[in-house]
Amino acid sequence: GAVVSQHPSRVICKSGTSVKIECRSLDFQATTMFWYRQFPKQSLMLMATSNEGSKATYEQGVEKDKFLINHASLTLSTLTVTSAHPEDSSFYICSARPQTSGSRETQYFGPGTRLLVL
Amino acid sequence: KNEVEQSPQNLTAQEGEFITINCSYSVGISALHWLQQHPGGGIVSLFMLSSGKKKHGRLIATINIQEKHSSLHITASHPRDSAVYICAVRSRGGADGLTFGKGTHLIIQP
């Protein structure tokens, strides 16, 4: 089956530093990847939609200058949390839509990255 | 904006029981997903529905488009089914990303 990986699986950083999270589709090409965030006891929320070779589309309330998304290839999207603060501590999860999928509804999820900002 | 409601929020049952988790949404959709999230956080896609019913092993998912409602059923439940089950929708004519319910925390006791 289609596999999506994320790295790192968990990261602890100091306030003010930047953290990069990678999302890779291992056995398929993905023109579109999605970044979601989940705070404790809350539902997953879409942060942004990332299309290969173009700028990401951010959801309302998500700062594009703080959460930098790069989707430079069909198998890799990166999310960089710049100048991280404790309130950015969350579970970040990506999903990828296969390029060749017969349905635009198909998404495969990564295992997630747990970020803790001290 | 689509509002996705799930019920119950928490469910504890005995092994072997038939489980039903409900999901309702407020705006017409192009697809509904049922997802399973384990304690570590990773998400597994169980079903994607746009109409009717799907079955995979002991899991059954149904959707009623007119009533904007879907159900996930687990037959002969087992402790390994313990997880958070999440309903997510993509609104018709909306952006590609999903809108999620808050999830149903299911515990199956031996």
Side-chain angles (χ1 to χ4, degrees), chain A residues 1-7 22-33 71 73-77 94-99 108-111:
Chain A
V3 178
V4 176
S5 70
Q6 277 184 245
H7 178 79
E22 294 185 348
C23 176
R24 291 181 186 274
S25 55
L26 297 185
D27 50 2
F28 65 96
Q29 294 184 322
T31 48
T32 303
M33 291 185 173
H71 192 162
S73 78
L74 287 172
T75 59
L76 174 64
S77 176
C94 71
S95 71
R97 184 166 70 198
Q99 182 182 36
Y108 299 103
F109 288 85

Short mmCIF file of all heavy atoms in Angstrom, two decimals, chain A residues 1-7 22-33 71 73-77 94-99 108-111:
data_model
loop_
_atom_site.label_atom_id
_atom_site.label_comp_id
_atom_site.label_asym_id
_atom_site.label_seq_id
_atom_site.Cartn_x
_atom_site.Cartn_y
_atom_site.Cartn_z
N GLY A 1 0.81 -1.20 0.00
CA GLY A 1 0.00 0.00 0.00
C GLY A 1 0.84 1.25 0.00
O GLY A 1 2.05 1.20 0.19
N ALA A 2 0.20 2.38 -0.23
CA ALA A 2 0.90 3.65 -0.27
C ALA A 2 1.39 4.04 1.11
O ALA A 2 0.65 3.94 2.08
CB ALA A 2 -0.03 4.73 -0.81
N VAL A 3 2.65 4.48 1.19
CA VAL A 3 3.27 4.80 2.47
C VAL A 3 3.74 6.25 2.47
O VAL A 3 4.38 6.71 1.51
CB VAL A 3 4.46 3.88 2.77
CG1 VAL A 3 5.12 4.28 4.08
CG2 VAL A 3 4.01 2.42 2.82
N VAL A 4 3.40 6.93 3.55
CA VAL A 4 3.86 8.29 3.76
C VAL A 4 4.67 8.33 5.05
O VAL A 4 4.20 7.82 6.08
CB VAL A 4 2.67 9.27 3.85
CG1 VAL A 4 3.16 10.68 4.17
CG2 VAL A 4 1.89 9.26 2.55
N SER A 5 5.85 8.89 4.98
CA SER A 5 6.69 8.96 6.19
C SER A 5 6.84 10.42 6.62
O SER A 5 6.72 11.34 5.80
CB SER A 5 8.07 8.35 5.93
OG SER A 5 8.82 9.17 5.06
N GLN A 6 7.10 10.59 7.89
CA GLN A 6 7.39 11.92 8.42
C GLN A 6 8.65 11.83 9.27
O GLN A 6 8.89 10.85 9.97
CB GLN A 6 6.24 12.44 9.28
CG GLN A 6 5.13 13.08 8.51
CD GLN A 6 4.06 13.67 9.39
OE1 GLN A 6 2.92 13.22 9.37
NE2 GLN A 6 4.41 14.71 10.16
N HIS A 7 9.43 12.90 9.21
CA HIS A 7 10.65 12.95 10.03
C HIS A 7 10.88 14.36 10.53
O HIS A 7 10.74 15.32 9.76
CB HIS A 7 11.87 12.51 9.19
CG HIS A 7 13.15 12.58 9.94
ND1 HIS A 7 13.55 11.62 10.84
CD2 HIS A 7 14.11 13.54 9.96
CE1 HIS A 7 14.71 11.96 11.35
NE2 HIS A 7 15.07 13.11 10.83
N GLU A 22 9.69 16.94 7.75
CA GLU A 22 9.62 16.43 6.38
C GLU A 22 8.47 15.44 6.23
O GLU A 22 8.21 14.64 7.12
CB GLU A 22 10.93 15.72 6.01
CG GLU A 22 12.13 16.64 5.93
CD GLU A 22 13.35 15.89 5.45
OE1 GLU A 22 13.34 14.65 5.39
OE2 GLU A 22 14.36 16.57 5.14
N CYS A 23 7.83 15.51 5.09
CA CYS A 23 6.79 14.56 4.73
C CYS A 23 7.15 13.96 3.38
O CYS A 23 7.31 14.69 2.40
CB CYS A 23 5.44 15.29 4.66
SG CYS A 23 4.06 14.26 4.11
N ARG A 24 7.28 12.65 3.33
CA ARG A 24 7.69 11.99 2.10
C ARG A 24 6.69 10.91 1.69
O ARG A 24 6.24 10.13 2.53
CB ARG A 24 9.05 11.31 2.26
CG ARG A 24 10.21 12.24 2.40
CD ARG A 24 11.53 11.48 2.53
NE ARG A 24 12.64 12.38 2.82
CZ ARG A 24 13.33 13.01 1.90
NH1 ARG A 24 13.04 12.84 0.60
NH2 ARG A 24 14.31 13.82 2.24
N SER A 25 6.36 10.88 0.42
CA SER A 25 5.60 9.75 -0.12
C SER A 25 6.65 8.77 -0.64
O SER A 25 7.47 9.10 -1.48
CB SER A 25 4.66 10.22 -1.24
OG SER A 25 5.37 10.91 -2.25
N LEU A 26 6.62 7.55 -0.09
CA LEU A 26 7.73 6.61 -0.33
C LEU A 26 7.57 5.81 -1.61
O LEU A 26 8.55 5.44 -2.24
CB LEU A 26 7.88 5.67 0.87
CG LEU A 26 8.25 6.35 2.19
CD1 LEU A 26 8.48 5.30 3.27
CD2 LEU A 26 9.46 7.24 2.04
N ASP A 27 6.36 5.49 -1.99
CA ASP A 27 6.19 4.61 -3.13
C ASP A 27 5.20 5.16 -4.15
O ASP A 27 4.66 4.41 -4.97
CB ASP A 27 5.77 3.21 -2.68
CG ASP A 27 4.60 3.25 -1.71
OD1 ASP A 27 4.09 4.35 -1.41
OD2 ASP A 27 4.19 2.17 -1.25
N PHE A 28 4.98 6.46 -4.08
CA PHE A 28 4.14 7.10 -5.09
C PHE A 28 4.49 8.58 -5.17
O PHE A 28 5.15 9.12 -4.28
CB PHE A 28 2.64 6.92 -4.77
CG PHE A 28 2.19 7.60 -3.50
CD1 PHE A 28 1.60 8.86 -3.54
CD2 PHE A 28 2.34 6.98 -2.26
CE1 PHE A 28 1.19 9.49 -2.38
CE2 PHE A 28 1.93 7.60 -1.09
CZ PHE A 28 1.35 8.85 -1.15
N GLN A 29 4.06 9.20 -6.26
CA GLN A 29 4.28 10.63 -6.42
C GLN A 29 3.02 11.38 -6.04
O GLN A 29 1.91 10.95 -6.36
CB GLN A 29 4.68 10.94 -7.87
CG GLN A 29 6.03 10.34 -8.24
CD GLN A 29 6.47 10.72 -9.63
OE1 GLN A 29 5.66 10.77 -10.54
NE2 GLN A 29 7.77 10.97 -9.81
N ALA A 30 3.22 12.49 -5.36
CA ALA A 30 2.09 13.25 -4.84
C ALA A 30 2.17 14.69 -5.31
O ALA A 30 3.08 15.42 -4.93
CB ALA A 30 2.08 13.20 -3.31
N THR A 31 1.21 15.09 -6.11
CA THR A 31 1.18 16.48 -6.54
C THR A 31 0.66 17.39 -5.43
O THR A 31 1.00 18.57 -5.39
CB THR A 31 0.26 16.66 -7.77
OG1 THR A 31 -0.97 16.01 -7.50
CG2 THR A 31 0.89 16.07 -9.01
N THR A 32 -0.11 16.81 -4.55
CA THR A 32 -0.69 17.60 -3.47
C THR A 32 -0.42 16.94 -2.13
O THR A 32 -0.63 15.74 -1.99
CB THR A 32 -2.22 17.77 -3.64
OG1 THR A 32 -2.49 18.36 -4.91
CG2 THR A 32 -2.81 18.64 -2.54
N MET A 33 0.04 17.72 -1.19
CA MET A 33 0.20 17.26 0.19
C MET A 33 -0.50 18.25 1.11
O MET A 33 -0.57 19.45 0.82
CB MET A 33 1.68 17.13 0.57
CG MET A 33 2.39 16.00 -0.16
SD MET A 33 4.09 15.80 0.41
CE MET A 33 4.58 14.30 -0.44
N HIS A 71 7.34 22.51 -1.27
CA HIS A 71 6.98 21.24 -1.92
C HIS A 71 7.74 21.19 -3.22
O HIS A 71 7.18 21.38 -4.30
CB HIS A 71 5.45 21.22 -2.14
CG HIS A 71 4.91 19.88 -2.53
ND1 HIS A 71 3.57 19.58 -2.41
CD2 HIS A 71 5.49 18.78 -3.04
CE1 HIS A 71 3.35 18.34 -2.83
NE2 HIS A 71 4.50 17.84 -3.22
N SER A 73 9.45 18.74 -4.69
CA SER A 73 9.44 17.57 -5.55
C SER A 73 8.13 16.82 -5.36
O SER A 73 7.35 17.13 -4.45
CB SER A 73 10.61 16.64 -5.23
OG SER A 73 10.35 15.87 -4.07
N LEU A 74 7.89 15.83 -6.18
CA LEU A 74 6.63 15.08 -6.12
C LEU A 74 6.60 14.09 -4.97
O LEU A 74 5.60 13.39 -4.78
CB LEU A 74 6.39 14.35 -7.44
CG LEU A 74 5.99 15.24 -8.61
CD1 LEU A 74 5.99 14.44 -9.91
CD2 LEU A 74 4.62 15.86 -8.39
N THR A 75 7.68 14.00 -4.21
CA THR A 75 7.69 13.05 -3.11
C THR A 75 8.06 13.69 -1.77
O THR A 75 8.14 13.00 -0.76
CB THR A 75 8.70 11.90 -3.36
OG1 THR A 75 10.00 12.46 -3.55
CG2 THR A 75 8.30 11.10 -4.59
N LEU A 76 8.27 14.99 -1.75
CA LEU A 76 8.70 15.63 -0.52
C LEU A 76 8.07 16.99 -0.32
O LEU A 76 8.10 17.85 -1.20
CB LEU A 76 10.23 15.79 -0.52
CG LEU A 76 10.85 16.58 0.65
CD1 LEU A 76 10.60 15.85 1.97
CD2 LEU A 76 12.34 16.80 0.41
N SER A 77 7.49 17.18 0.86
CA SER A 77 7.03 18.49 1.30
C SER A 77 7.61 18.73 2.68
O SER A 77 7.72 17.81 3.48
CB SER A 77 5.51 18.56 1.35
OG SER A 77 5.07 19.81 1.86
N CYS A 94 0.92 15.05 8.13
CA CYS A 94 0.74 15.38 6.72
C CYS A 94 -0.03 14.25 6.04
O CYS A 94 -0.13 13.14 6.55
CB CYS A 94 2.08 15.58 6.04
SG CYS A 94 3.04 14.07 5.81
N SER A 95 -0.60 14.57 4.91
CA SER A 95 -1.18 13.54 4.05
C SER A 95 -0.81 13.87 2.61
O SER A 95 -0.48 15.01 2.29
CB SER A 95 -2.71 13.45 4.22
OG SER A 95 -3.34 14.59 3.66
N ALA A 96 -0.86 12.85 1.78
CA ALA A 96 -0.46 13.03 0.39
C ALA A 96 -1.49 12.41 -0.53
O ALA A 96 -2.03 11.33 -0.24
CB ALA A 96 0.91 12.37 0.16
N ARG A 97 -1.76 13.12 -1.62
CA ARG A 97 -2.70 12.61 -2.61
C ARG A 97 -1.92 12.14 -3.82
O ARG A 97 -1.16 12.91 -4.40
CB ARG A 97 -3.69 13.70 -3.02
CG ARG A 97 -4.76 13.19 -3.98
CD ARG A 97 -5.88 14.17 -4.09
NE ARG A 97 -5.49 15.38 -4.80
CZ ARG A 97 -6.17 16.52 -4.74
NH1 ARG A 97 -7.26 16.61 -4.00
NH2 ARG A 97 -5.76 17.58 -5.39
N PRO A 98 -2.08 10.87 -4.18
CA PRO A 98 -1.30 10.34 -5.30
C PRO A 98 -1.58 11.07 -6.60
O PRO A 98 -2.72 11.42 -6.90
CB PRO A 98 -1.74 8.87 -5.37
CG PRO A 98 -2.28 8.56 -4.02
CD PRO A 98 -2.89 9.84 -3.54
N GLN A 99 -0.55 11.23 -7.37
CA GLN A 99 -0.68 11.89 -8.66
C GLN A 99 -1.56 11.09 -9.60
O GLN A 99 -2.33 11.64 -10.38
CB GLN A 99 0.71 12.06 -9.29
CG GLN A 99 0.74 12.77 -10.62
CD GLN A 99 2.15 12.86 -11.18
OE1 GLN A 99 2.95 11.93 -11.01
NE2 GLN A 99 2.48 13.95 -11.83
N TYR A 108 -3.34 9.66 1.76
CA TYR A 108 -2.62 8.76 2.65
C TYR A 108 -1.91 9.59 3.69
O TYR A 108 -1.24 10.57 3.37
CB TYR A 108 -1.63 7.90 1.87
CG TYR A 108 -2.27 7.02 0.82
CD1 TYR A 108 -2.23 7.36 -0.52
CD2 TYR A 108 -2.96 5.87 1.20
CE1 TYR A 108 -2.85 6.57 -1.47
CE2 TYR A 108 -3.58 5.07 0.25
CZ TYR A 108 -3.52 5.43 -1.09
OH TYR A 108 -4.13 4.64 -2.02
N PHE A 109 -2.05 9.18 4.96
CA PHE A 109 -1.55 9.97 6.07
C PHE A 109 -0.18 9.51 6.54
O PHE A 109 0.12 8.31 6.54
CB PHE A 109 -2.53 9.92 7.24
CG PHE A 109 -3.80 10.69 6.99
CD1 PHE A 109 -4.85 10.10 6.31
CD2 PHE A 109 -3.93 12.00 7.41
CE1 PHE A 109 -6.02 10.82 6.06
CE2 PHE A 109 -5.08 12.72 7.17
CZ PHE A 109 -6.13 12.13 6.49
N GLY A 110 0.63 10.46 6.94
CA GLY A 110 1.88 10.16 7.60
C GLY A 110 1.65 9.82 9.06
O GLY A 110 0.54 9.97 9.57
N PRO A 111 2.69 9.36 9.75
CA PRO A 111 2.55 8.96 11.16
C PRO A 111 2.55 10.13 12.13
O PRO A 111 2.26 9.95 13.31
CB PRO A 111 3.78 8.08 11.38
CG PRO A 111 4.79 8.59 10.40
CD PRO A 111 4.00 9.04 9.20
#
